[in-house]
């Protein structure tokens, strides 16, 4: 196996980035980038902490990540499993990366910056859904923002419904938990109770 250990080796293999891949990167959100954030119901949040890296899915109604101003984004945190891996990391290392997806679009949007967490009552209330305010709000100070070309989405054919995987062909959460818990959790019961439990903790 031939391993690449230096940036020089990497650049020799891939060459230097073209102009278009550089000029798209800004330090603030422009209206064209705002359109993707406002249309996105899903973002992957990447963080780093003493225990390692974390990449966590965040989803809500389209536009759930609020553009406070061109340098500031606000993202509500809803009820979940209380692991709070991303939030634990942010407290100890504020660097974050966000990848916004828009169903049907091949273009994704990337944002890098630093984050902080607030429980300001008025702000959390402003993110109320189904009568429940956000548990906390993550404030992201934007450092870089740029769009990612559509090659990955096109190659994966991600939005093609004909290629969607039937969930019946995958292990259920209950089946996985039964194995990882060494049967201290009954998988059949977990899966049966999940829909009702999910309704109660949706927001």
């Amino acid at each position: 196996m031939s391993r690449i250990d230096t940036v020089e080796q990497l650049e020799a293999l891939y060459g230097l980035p073209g102009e278009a891949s550089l000029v798209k990167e800004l330090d603030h959100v422009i209206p064209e980038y705002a359109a993707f954030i406002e249309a996105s119901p899903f973002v992957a949040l990447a963080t780093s902490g003493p225990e390692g890296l974390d990449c966590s899915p965040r989803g809500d109604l389209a536009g759930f990540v609020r553009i406070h101003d061109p340098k500031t984004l606000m993202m509500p945190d809803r009820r979940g499993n209380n692991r709070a891996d991303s939030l634990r990391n942010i407290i100890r290392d504020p660097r974050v990366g966000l990848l916004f997806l828009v169903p049907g679009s091949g273009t994704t949007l990337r944002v890098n910056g630093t984050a902080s967490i607030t429980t300001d009552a008025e702000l959390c209330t402003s993110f109320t859904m189904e009568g429940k305010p956000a548990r906390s709000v993550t404030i992201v100070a934007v450092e870089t923002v740029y769009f990612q070309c559509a090659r990955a989405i096109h190659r994966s054919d991600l939005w093609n419904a004909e290629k969607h995987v039937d969930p019946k062909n995958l292990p259920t959460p209950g089946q996985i938990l039964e194995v990882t818990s060494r049967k201290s959790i009954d998988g059949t019961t977990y899966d049966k109770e999940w829909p009702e439990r999910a309704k109660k903790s949706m927001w």
Side-chain angles (χ1 to χ4, degrees), residues 173-190:
Q175 290 170 337
I176 296 170
L177 287 170
E178 185 166 309
V179 172
T180 58
S181 70
R182 298 182 180 179
K183 296 190 176 181
S184 67
I185 294 176
D186 181 76
T188 301
T189 300
Y190 183 91

Side-chain angles (χ1 to χ4, degrees), residues 50-64:
E51 289 82 19
L53 305 176
D54 181 71
C55 188
S56 176
R58 292 288 191 270
D60 218 320
L61 300 180
F64 73 101

